[in-house]
Amino acid sequence: MAAASLSPSPTVPPVRRLFDSHGRVIHDLRVSITDRCNYKCVYCRSGEGDELYPELTIDEYLRLIQLFVGLGITKVRLTGGEPLLRRGLIELVQELARMRTLDGDPLDLAITTNGHLLTSLARPLKDAGLNRVTVSMDAVDRAVFERVTRVPGSFEKVLAGVRAAREEGLVPLKINCVLLRGFNDDQIEGFARFARDENVAVRFIEFMPLEEGRLWSPEIVVPLREVVERISKVLPLSELPQRDAGETARRYTFADGVGEIGIIAPVSQAFCGACSRVRLTSDGKIRTCLFSQVEHDLYGRMRSLLKGDVHESNTDDAQKELQEYICRTIHGKEARHHIGEPGFLKPSRSMVHIGG
Ligand code: SAM
């Protein structure tokens, strides 16, 4: 792995830190490293196609991520598709763990995964330097879970993966659950008990119009208010203070402090004003918002600047130009999404091809 050639050259000072025209500082990078997935969750994938977009090499992801880190990114989350399917993942995490932020600190390194392969990968990922994992689980009932994922045996695999990750210290361990009325909204109270039994933070996420098919409607979204009301009836909740201004989840705990519930409500209580994120797709395009109508071809620029040979050592000029391009792109980040408003347009890529 060409880690040495990825370090920012001391002769090229960082252009500036990333901020947009709405005054938001961007320090959180989500990188999709494949758009392949081994699950066919009913609300995400049609289950008919597989990957649509090319993957870059691990070295190429590292080069692109290094450009962002040189502009003030402090947190990198690997996602997909299913990131644990990606060959070279452990080497990628090892190299990311060696990078330093502009303040000289290690990156905050996380992965979002469906957990299917975590039992065998939790230890190598921890050893490679990963800090945390978020596991997606949309039911605590085996039959409901398998109806959502459309993969037999998936519930046992994921539960074992969650436990393996916790044992390896990939904590705080978060469980993401997307609620859909009529599919899995009967799981809310069960998830509250699961949060306590497994001592994890369960975060309910409102369903967004980012699916491959056509399922989304305002009626299928289970709003934050309803989740809190229903859990409070069986287990009293107390709200936790916000940790920082960019926090997307409203957090709650139980009377004895064991387990945590988070509510992420991008539809009913959008948090765009506090957004600190930018995304890089598996084929190296920058997306400034999940709902962007345009993408910015950072990888294409890197290739043309390096005359098609991205394996040759980078030049200071190319690095500077690419970082200026990133700054300009992020400056134009959308103020907010327009879900549910008249004229709302779904983005051309679905969640699995953007990187959730
Ligand atoms: N395969 C990995 C996983 O399952 O976590 C990472 C990719 S997946 C696209 C990332 C997250 O996006 C998952 O938690 C998934 O539930 C969520 N997701 C997918 N489609 C969504 C949608 N339309 N609205 C809200 N969340 C969605």
Side-chain angles (χ1 to χ4, degrees):
M1 202 72 37
S5 66
L6 297 163
S7 312
S9 157
T11 59
V12 182
V15 186
R16 50 183 181 254
R17 293 206 185 217
L18 290 172
F19 63 94
D20 69 14
S21 63
H22 309 285
R24 295 171 296 194
V25 177
I26 307 303
H27 51 79
D28 180 349
L29 175 67
R30 301 202 160 201
V31 185
S32 171
I33 54 174
T34 180
D35 68 342
R36 287 174 288 130
C37 191
N38 44 355
Y39 280 10
K40 292 178 278 191
C41 298
V42 286
Y43 62 87
C44 184
R45 300 185 53 211
S46 65
E48 280 149 24
D50 199 353
E51 72 265 33
L52 286 182
Y53 298 93
E55 293 170 8
L56 309 188
T57 66
I58 295 297
D59 263 1
E60 288 167 343
Y61 288 123
L62 282 165
R63 277 174 181 268
L64 295 180
I65 295 169
Q66 180 70 74
L67 292 170
F68 282 91
V69 172
L71 291 167
I73 289 291
T74 55
K75 176 173 169 187
V76 173
R77 178 175 292 275
L78 301 176
T79 180
E82 174 45 45
L84 301 197
L85 291 177
R86 180 59 208 252
R87 188 174 296 207
L89 171 67
I90 301 299
E91 292 78 5
L92 174 61
V93 172
Q94 273 167 351
E95 292 299 327
L96 290 174
R98 289 198 187 108
M99 283 188 194
R100 291 293 172 265
T101 67
L102 289 180
D103 294 328
D105 299 319
L107 291 170
D108 180 8
L109 277 182
I111 281 187
T112 300
T113 170
N114 62 28
H116 193 85
L117 299 171
L118 252 186
T119 319
S120 56
L121 283 172
R123 175 160 299 172
L125 283 168
K126 177 71 182 177
D127 290 347
L130 188 74
N131 301 123
R132 291 175 292 116
V133 291
T134 298
V135 179
S136 305
M137 269 186 90
D138 300 309
V140 285
D141 176 273
R142 178 183 294 105
V144 179
F145 192 86
E146 291 181 9
R147 262 204 316 275
V148 174
T149 62
R150 296 188 277 184
V151 173
S154 49
F155 182 76
E156 284 77 9
K157 281 274 201 186
V158 174
L159 188 58
V162 165
R163 290 173 178 165
R166 204 186 40 213
E167 266 159 41
E168 292 303 333
L170 291 164
V171 289
L173 190 75
K174 291 179 190 158
I175 305 290
N176 277 358
C177 168
V178 177
L179 286 174
L180 279 81
R181 180 133 6 247
F183 281 80
N184 64 346
D185 56 331
D186 60 344
Q187 301 291 296
I188 293 174
E189 292 83 357
F191 262 119
R193 286 186 283 272
F194 183 84
R196 296 174 57 69
D197 292 347
E198 299 291 330
N199 196 10
V200 292
V202 173
R203 306 181 330 154
F204 295 101
I205 302 177
E206 286 176 345
F207 180 41
M208 294 178 278
L210 285 167
E211 74 282 29
E212 276 184 349
R214 286 189 171 273
L215 190 65
W216 194 88
S217 71
E219 293 72 40
I220 207 168
V221 177
V222 182
L224 168 148
R225 183 180 19 85
E226 181 178 329
V227 178
V228 175
E229 277 169 17
R230 279 180 47 184
I231 294 182
S232 301
K233 280 190 191 143
V234 287
L235 289 162
L237 287 173
S238 55
E239 189 159 358
L240 291 165
Q242 225 188 352
R243 279 174 298 208
D244 60 73
E247 192 163 66
T248 51
R250 295 265 293 271
R251 298 182 307 121
Y252 302 81
T253 190
F254 302 94
D256 58 5
V258 177
E260 188 182 306
I261 296 292
I263 314 270
I264 303 181
V267 180
S268 69
Q269 295 183 24
F271 41 78
C272 305
C275 183
S276 57
R277 292 180 189 164
V278 58
R279 287 181 160 80
L280 194 62
T281 61
S282 58
D283 56 339
K285 308 258 167 59
I286 300 173
R287 291 187 65 96
T288 48
C289 172
L290 269 176
F291 295 93
S292 294
Q293 293 297 323
V294 282
E295 298 177 336
H296 307 270
D297 190 6
L298 180 63
Y299 176 66
R301 282 202 167 227
M302 181 169 84
R303 281 191 71 95
S304 62
L305 278 171
L306 298 175
K307 309 268 181 299
D309 186 358
V310 293
H311 297 286
E312 280 304 303
S313 62
N314 211 340
T315 66
D316 289 352
D317 283 350
Q319 180 176 312
K320 196 162 169 247
E321 196 169 328
L322 290 169
Q323 287 187 316
E324 279 170 357
Y325 176 70
I326 295 173
C327 288
R328 280 200 306 279
T329 301
I330 294 218
H331 200 251
K333 181 173 160 72
E334 298 80 346
R336 62 187 186 91
H337 69 65
H338 297 274
I339 301 175
E341 294 175 18
F344 168 78
L345 280 178
K346 244 172 120 167
S348 58
R349 292 192 198 216
S350 57
M351 186 73 126
V352 68
H353 302 297
I354 294 173

